[in-house]
Amino acid sequence: MTSALLQVSDLKMHFPLRGGVLFRPVATVRAVDGVNLTVEAGQTLGLVGESGCGKTTVGRCVVRLYRPTAGRVRVDGQDLAVVRGGRLKQIRRDLQMIFQDPFESLNARHTVGEILREPFRIHRIGGPGQQAAAVERLLERVGLDPGAQNRFPHEFSGGQRQRIGIARAVALNPRLIVCDEPVSALDVSIQSQILNLLLDLQREMGLAYLFITHDLAVVKHVSDRIAVMYLGKIVETADADRLYQAPLHPYTVALISAIPVPDPARRKGRPLLGGDVPSPIDPPAGCRFHPRCPLAVDRCRREEPVLQAMDGAEPDHRVACHRAGQMRLPPDG
Amino acid sequence: MRFRLNPLTVQKIRRFRSIRRGYWSFWIFCLLILFSLAAELLVNDRAILVHYEGRFYWPTYGDPLPGRTFGLDYDYETDYRHLRRHLAAGRGAGWVLMPPVPYGPYSTDLRTDAFPPFAPSWSERHYLGTDTVGRDVLARLVYGFRIAIFFSLGLLAANYAIGVSIGCAMGYFGGRFDLFFQRVIEIWANMPFLYVVIIVSSIVVPSFALLIAIMAFFGWIGITWTMRTVTYKERTRDYVLAAQVLGASHGRIILRHILPNTVAVIVTYAPFSVASGIVALTSLDYLGFGLPPPTPSWGELLQQGWAYMSAWWIVAAVVGAMVVTLVTVTFIGEAVREAFDPKRYTVYE
């Protein structure tokens, strides 16, 4: 084991669908089905995928909102599944989360001051005076007026609310923050401000991010490494630059070529995907991507590919595909 | 930190005030309760103030004053209506100030020349007449209202205490606990409420507290279901997850986050619950399984009125009072529901 800050190994999260008179499980949603991730201290791992591919579930397992069906989530080598009580509370200080919808993630009945004081209250840090000072520092740090304390969340814009959410997440000086689509509910003009705030905080506080998003343009901007997820599995993982320059998995290629480019001349020849993500209740046999894959052959239908480094490629660049590297990005410079 | 009402709450209160019908009903209802609390001063067979031989007496509250205090020839409690006539006739130095309605809920106005019920009479100060044993209908109504309203409020408190805690726990913890109580409630809801009340009141005479206990025994179900649903919805919302990630305890999450956000439901439910409590007590009393006689009660009056239709003032008074009370409470409930309607404040993105 390396000394990675976050080590997720073979994580599985299955949700039973219950039904019938006796409320027995009748089916299983395999939201996450064997995911391996590593986040080093101070680094950002981007987790990319379509809606419903299980990326949010991974994030929630990491902060232990869900208890995984199988697999391990280790923070500093400590298995999250076995800690409870005071020890868990202690670990939670290192592990925070920023939510997608800033209208949902703040309790509308509390003032901003109360919301930001809550972390200190829960962990009994400092007296009222110190807490008030800390709240003011936090507000200032995320670029809000200290007067915001006495106001309520609904009096703020989406971007400002997200700043409050970020302030709450960094209040306890965490080491890892799971950012679950932190900017996708925001206007594009606001997105970059929030992203820059996150990057600044990362530099200052040495934070590591697990950055969950469906937006490849965003993830490129912030990530050191990127993992691409499809239907509960990681299909490709590589350094951010590497992944954008030479994606190996056809799914990654399709995703990257779907990034909007503000030039109508370059639009032609993109390998766009048809269809929807299949249901995680009954995932396709073999490679889960094969029903939508333009390169699919018989082997893909039968045999599930393993996530591994390709011969001749960098060892850090792993891909789960039988036909890896056979699809290229359309040339556009 | 200085206290500040949530602007959303302020908005709800403002909205409630703008619904005139409900707002006025609210004040009328509050006044009715206040009046009923001061009933001893307004409707009573004890005098408010007696001036006798240079001394003032306030007989309304406290121990009964025997007749001898005022120079009458008996040791039991003074009959102030008699004392008033006695002093007015000049057989003693002093005067008596009686309440506007000089009859208590238990005092019978017996006469040698006629049998009750007596029709309403301004000069006798029986403004709504008397019932079949000569007790003043207005006095019975006022004290009956007081009992009914505090019964309803007590029942509400009991139902809420049980229903909110169980419902909240069901929605919050889910799983087996939830499943278990769902089945319990389904079975519970099928127990015939009236039979159980009849059986219990045939064994023991129900007191005020016992009757609340019996009714709460069956009444907690409605609010429990509602609270379960609301809590279920709230607990998966991001702000609750955020508190969880911060390491907040279950108690903190429930008390600081979930309950305050379900307050709209709790408040909206209350007026209708009060109305149904009044109706329930009245119907139990009507059937004779409620509070024991001679407790002043609308149900018992209604029953008398039904038996003596010729004494129309009894039925008219009770029905009128019921209609006014229930309409008032329903108007309040309607306005509260309107003011707390979450749709008005939800922002759909």
Side-chain angles (χ1 to χ4, degrees):
Chain A
M1 281 287 126
T2 53
S3 59
L5 174 60
L6 173 72
Q7 181 101 38
V8 175
S9 42
D10 203 28
L11 181 74
K12 288 185 181 164
M13 184 74 225
H14 296 175
F15 296 99
L17 285 181
R18 292 173 189 279
V21 186
L22 294 173
F23 224 63
R24 295 201 186 287
V26 292
T28 307
V29 179
R30 297 161 183 275
V32 178
D33 211 11
V35 161
N36 294 289
L37 291 174
T38 309
V39 182
E40 307 285 343
Q43 300 259 303
T44 302
L45 174 70
L47 186 58
V48 194
E50 281 173 274
S51 315
C53 72
K55 51 193 195 301
T56 295
T57 310
V58 170
R60 291 188 173 179
C61 287
V62 167
V63 292
R64 206 174 181 269
L65 281 173
Y66 295 150
R67 300 183 119 177
T69 316
R72 295 263 174 280
V73 177
R74 287 198 192 83
V75 175
D76 262 342
Q78 169 77 59
D79 186 352
L80 279 194
V82 297
V83 290
R84 49 189 74 230
R87 181 85 188 94
L88 176 63
K89 200 168 165 181
Q90 197 65 31
I91 290 180
R92 285 205 184 282
R93 289 173 64 164
D94 283 341
L95 220 52
Q96 283 302 311
M97 187 155 184
I98 297 170
F99 293 84
Q100 171 174 11
D101 185 351
F103 288 87
E104 272 286 304
S105 64
L106 306 175
N107 189 338
R109 307 209 148 253
H110 293 174
T111 61
V112 172
E114 286 171 305
I115 289 170
L116 293 182
R117 215 169 297 122
E118 187 160 32
F120 303 114
R121 286 217 178 119
I122 290 171
H123 291 275
R124 305 216 165 82
I125 299 169
Q130 284 164 293
Q131 290 179 358
V135 168
E136 269 188 36
R137 271 200 306 279
L138 280 174
L139 281 172
E140 199 184 333
R141 183 60 206 87
V142 298
L144 289 174
D145 190 74
Q149 279 195 61
N150 297 320
R151 296 203 276 153
F152 287 87
H154 71 99
E155 300 173 63
F156 294 90
S157 70
Q160 288 171 320
R161 281 167 163 242
Q162 198 56 296
R163 285 172 192 273
I164 297 165
I166 291 170
R168 175 175 60 189
V170 299
L172 297 171
N173 270 316
R175 297 169 64 199
L176 173 72
I177 298 184
V178 174
C179 307
D180 188 2
E181 307 255 14
V183 295
S184 28
L186 305 176
D187 288 348
V188 177
S189 56
I190 310 293
Q191 285 189 359
S192 59
Q193 293 175 15
I194 297 296
L195 288 176
N196 287 332
L197 174 62
L198 287 172
L199 290 174
D200 289 348
L201 287 170
Q202 179 169 44
R203 249 194 321 278
E204 285 167 31
M205 308 176 68
L207 296 169
Y209 290 135
L210 175 59
F211 202 96
I212 299 168
T213 183
H214 64 266
D215 187 337
L216 280 123
V218 165
V219 84
K220 184 180 184 182
H221 187 57
V222 297
S223 305
D224 299 303
R225 284 184 67 79
I226 293 177
V228 181
M229 214 173 151
Y230 185 78
L231 209 59
K233 285 192 180 286
I234 304 277
V235 293
E236 184 167 8
T237 167
D239 283 344
D241 297 338
R242 184 83 205 140
L243 189 89
Y244 278 86
Q245 279 157 20
L248 294 176
H249 198 285
Y251 180 60
T252 317
V253 174
L255 281 185
I256 290 174
S257 60
I259 299 175
V261 182
D263 180 355
R266 286 194 195 162
R267 274 208 174 143
K268 287 153 197 140
R270 285 184 187 174
L272 292 178
L273 292 179
D276 276 321
V277 186
S279 161
I281 296 173
D282 189 17
C287 172
R288 296 186 168 199
F289 186 57
H290 83 253
R292 299 171 75 190
C293 182
L295 304 179
V297 292
D298 256 5
R299 189 182 172 206
C300 303
R301 288 180 196 95
R302 288 194 319 270
E303 195 184 319
E304 194 166 349
V306 185
L307 188 69
Q308 58 193 1
M310 230 176 70
D311 295 337
E314 287 173 35
D316 266 6
H317 192 162
R318 289 195 293 273
V319 62
C321 181
H322 297 307
R323 309 201 59 193
Q326 298 195 16
M327 195 160 131
R328 299 270 145 111
L329 279 179
D332 56 14
Chain B
M1 199 198 82
R2 111 197 125 86
F3 176 77
R4 188 182 159 209
L5 214 54
N6 189 325
L8 289 178
T9 315
V10 175
Q11 205 178 338
K12 282 173 188 165
I13 294 173
R14 197 172 299 140
R15 168 112 189 101
F16 177 71
R17 288 175 59 170
S18 77
I19 305 170
R20 309 308 296 174
R21 196 167 67 182
Y23 185 58
W24 283 113
S25 297
F26 175 72
W27 282 116
I28 291 172
F29 193 64
C30 286
L31 273 180
L32 283 178
I33 292 182
L34 270 182
F35 273 130
S36 80
L37 283 176
E40 274 82 2
L41 292 170
L42 301 168
V43 183
N44 201 348
D45 48 6
R46 285 189 184 180
I48 298 175
L49 179 60
V50 180
H51 184 249
Y52 181 70
E53 291 184 342
R55 279 190 67 189
F56 284 104
Y57 297 88
W58 305 85
T60 307
Y61 299 103
D63 292 331
L65 299 170
R68 296 218 184 271
T69 323
F70 305 110
L72 299 170
D73 56 354
Y74 51 85
D75 278 323
Y76 50 88
E77 186 177 7
T78 317
D79 177 350
Y80 292 98
R81 291 189 299 275
H82 172 245
L83 178 66
R84 194 171 111 93
R85 288 194 295 275
H86 183 79
L87 294 179
R91 273 172 276 174
W95 45 265
V96 174
L97 178 67
M98 289 301 284
V101 180
Y103 299 97
Y106 302 111
S107 52
T108 48
D109 186 13
L110 296 177
R111 298 171 198 178
T112 45
D113 54 344
F115 290 108
F118 304 123
S121 144
W122 202 259
S123 62
E124 295 284 347
R125 299 227 219 162
H126 283 305
Y127 300 108
L128 294 176
T130 76
D131 69 2
T132 50
V133 283
R135 296 175 297 203
D136 187 70
V137 170
L138 183 55
R140 303 283 290 172
L141 271 186
V142 169
Y143 286 90
F145 172 77
R146 187 158 81 180
I147 289 173
I149 198 68
F150 283 99
F151 180 84
S152 291
L153 292 175
L155 183 62
L156 181 77
N159 281 343
Y160 270 26
I162 305 170
V164 169
S165 43
I166 293 185
C168 215
M170 283 171 76
Y172 184 78
F173 294 108
R176 283 173 202 282
F177 182 81
D178 182 31
L179 217 58
F180 173 73
F181 267 96
Q182 279 182 42
R183 298 298 92 79
V184 167
I185 288 176
E186 275 157 18
I187 295 166
W188 212 282
N190 279 301
M191 279 208 264
F193 161 66
L194 200 56
Y195 285 135
V196 175
V197 175
I198 291 172
I199 291 167
V200 171
S201 13
S202 67
I203 301 168
V204 285
V205 177
S207 66
F208 187 82
L210 181 64
L211 202 60
I212 285 188
I214 299 173
M215 302 217 6
F217 197 70
F218 292 94
W220 58 278
I221 291 170
I223 186 73
T224 307
W225 266 147
T226 316
M227 276 307 290
R228 173 186 175 270
T229 316
V230 182
T231 311
Y232 216 85
K233 197 184 110 204
E234 291 297 322
R235 76 145 299 171
T236 54
R237 287 180 60 182
D238 284 352
Y239 69 85
V240 174
L241 298 185
Q244 246 172 303
V245 171
L246 283 172
S249 59
H250 294 315
R252 186 182 184 89
I253 291 173
I254 291 176
L255 294 177
R256 296 248 323 146
H257 292 282
I258 293 180
L259 275 185
N261 278 288
T262 57
V263 100
V265 177
I266 298 177
V267 171
T268 311
Y269 211 85
F272 299 106
S273 194
V274 167
S276 74
I278 295 176
V279 172
L281 181 66
T282 306
S283 33
L284 276 183
D285 282 342
Y286 177 82
L287 294 172
F289 299 113
L291 297 170
T295 316
S297 117
W298 290 9
E300 187 244 29
L301 266 182
L302 198 60
Q303 216 240 327
Q304 285 189 27
W306 172 247
Y308 294 84
M309 272 298 197
S310 55
W312 53 269
W313 54 89
I314 304 179
V315 170
V318 185
V319 171
M322 292 252 356
V323 167
V324 169
T325 313
L326 294 181
V327 163
T328 314
V329 176
T330 309
F331 279 170
I332 298 173
E334 222 178 49
V336 169
R337 189 176 57 196
E338 190 83 350
F340 276 72
D341 189 354
K343 282 194 200 101
R344 203 169 288 280
Y345 306 104
T346 311
V347 184
Y348 291 107
E349 294 286 307

